């Protein structure tokens, strides 16, 4: 696996598009690792301090993810080095999407990512430049659909991604009008844990969980885990944390989900971040969901969780471990050797799978159909890992072997 990974990591991306904003200090990159299948896909993120290497590593991550979620296309990513809290954010995004529009029309499909909202930012801005949907490049480059088929696929994408959830099985609040894109990635992370215990064995309702982050992915994962009977005993976010050894009730988790300020945890009982980060790793949790930013989880934090009885890590964030390597650094390898680590390209592939599902012909557009399809794809990937090796450790190593054999 490591030999395959080295070859894959060292291969130069096929296309690198570099941009300097003439009206601000913003800079950005589109990295297309390959045009496998005639197209590439990957979201757009923005953060201060982002660099080209981060975008390259995420593009490679996306390509691995597509081996699970489909379609069989290349991986890509867009990244903008700019403070998302800056009031000029919208103008920067408008100039960015104008610059990359030829790629988006031809062979590159994008969406939301860290600090960029699919529904409220990506779609309206790209629409204003004449793009019917930000995944249009995948339809043109990969599917090469006839005009009537292309219109049908784009129509499914436009409706499905921003579909308001109406089924109480999948939304914590009908009145809030949560859409598929708000919930699907966190749902997939939760489902990866449910399928893990179904396949490898264990009663989910006896398990306790710690969640890192409380944005869309983390909060949705926490909500669906609680709905499945898991006791969420700790949440740590950049503003602080919450700890309750006996577990938060489903109603409490639902309120925490609905009461977020943007992607931020809000509670009258919040404890300071420093205190939370001292205590939370020592909780006796069987489940850990790192779903904040990339490259945050340190080895001593993993070791403290393992000492407390940790069984499974489901990677809600891309590359959550604080390794410098693109994929399988020493911290991730250490975690994978001690507990079950469900890699990001399986655990958080929900949104990528929704795009793939909605680009198929004449699919059912109900909440249940969209969500159960994503769940089934994640289950299939984990079953393939189990067939290759039924050990509870080395899951990520085995999953990478399966994926890389398709790419190299």
């Amino acid at each position: 696996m490591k030999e395959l990974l080295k070859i894959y990591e060292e291969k130069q991306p096929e296309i690198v598009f570099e941009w300097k904003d003439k009206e601000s200090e913003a800079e950005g990159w589109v990295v297309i690792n390959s045009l496998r299948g005639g197209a590439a896909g990957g979201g757009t993120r923005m953060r201060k301090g982002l660099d080209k290497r981060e975008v390259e590593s995420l593009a490679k991550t996306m390509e691995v993810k597509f081996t699970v979620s489909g379609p069989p296309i290349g991986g890509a990513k867009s990244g903008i080095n700019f403070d998302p809290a800056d009031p000029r954010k919208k103008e920067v995004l408008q100039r960015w999407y104008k610059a990359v529009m030829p790629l988006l029309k031809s062979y590159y499909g994008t969406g939301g990512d860290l600090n960029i909202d699919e529904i409220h930012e990506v779609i309206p801005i790209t629409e204003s430049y004449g793009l019917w949907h930000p995944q249009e490049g995948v339809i043109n480059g990969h599917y090469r659909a006839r005009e009537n088929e292309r219109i049908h696929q784009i129509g499914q994408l436009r409706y499905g991604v921003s579909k308001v959830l109406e089924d109480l099985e999948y939304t914590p609040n009908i009145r809030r009008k949560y859409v598929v894109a708000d919930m699907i990635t966190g749902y997939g992370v939760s489902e990866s844990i449910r399928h893990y215990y179904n396949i490898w064995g264990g009663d989910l309702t006896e398990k306790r969980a710690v969640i890192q982050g409380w944005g869309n992915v983390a909060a949705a994962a926490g909500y669906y885990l609680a709905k499945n009977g898991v006791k969420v005993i700790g949440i740590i976010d950049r503003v602080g944390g919450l700890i309750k050894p006996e577990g938060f009730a489903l109603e409490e988790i639902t309120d925490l989900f609905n009461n977020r300020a943007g992607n931020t945890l809000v509670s009258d009982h919040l404890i300071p971040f420093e205190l939370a980060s001292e205590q939370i790793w020592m909780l006796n949790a069987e489940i850990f969901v790192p779903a904040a930013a990339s490259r945050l989880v340190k080895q001593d934090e993993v070791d403290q969780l393992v000492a407390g009885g940790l069984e499974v890590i489901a990677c809600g964030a891309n590359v959550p471990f604080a390794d410098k390597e693109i994929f399988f650094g020493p911290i991730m390898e250490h975690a994978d050797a001690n507990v079950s680590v469900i890699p990001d390209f399986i655990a958080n592939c929900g949104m990528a799978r929704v795009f793939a599902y909605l680009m198929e012909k004449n699919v059912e557009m109900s909440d249940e159909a969209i969500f159960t399809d994503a769940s089934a794809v994640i289950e299939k990937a984990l079953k393939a890992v189990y067939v290759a090796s039924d050990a509870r450790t080395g899951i990520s190593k085995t999953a990478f072997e399966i994926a890389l054999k398709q790419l190299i």
Side-chain angles (χ1 to χ4, degrees), residues 340-354:
S340 300
V341 179
I342 305 172
D344 49 20
F345 62 91
I346 295 177
N348 73 12
C349 78
M351 194 68 237
R353 178 56 204 168
V354 168

Side-chain angles (χ1 to χ4, degrees), residues 294-312:
S294 301
R295 305 187 189 279
L296 289 181
V297 182
K298 303 177 182 66
Q299 184 161 321
D300 67 313
E301 295 166 349
V302 172
D303 288 340
Q304 289 177 74
L305 287 166
V306 170
L310 185 67
E311 295 175 351
V312 60

Side-chain angles (χ1 to χ4, degrees), residues 19 29 57 81 86 114 124 139 221 244 275 291 300 310 339 382:
W19 173 77
W29 301 267
S57 68
N81 176 16
D86 192 297
L114 183 69
I139 293 173
K244 191 173 185 179
L275 184 59
D300 67 313
L310 185 67
V339 296
L382 287 173

Side-chain angles (χ1 to χ4, degrees), residues 19 21 24 26 82 88-96:
W19 173 77
D21 188 18
S24 75
F82 191 69
R88 299 171 292 171
K89 177 187 180 184
K90 182 179 179 181
E91 289 74 23
V92 166
L93 282 175
Q94 287 172 330
R95 292 190 291 273
W96 163 261

Side-chain angles (χ1 to χ4, degrees), residues 323-335:
D323 291 316
K324 68 179 189 301
E325 289 79 5
I326 293 177
F327 292 113
F328 208 78
I331 301 173
M332 183 174 184
E333 185 173 9
H334 174 74

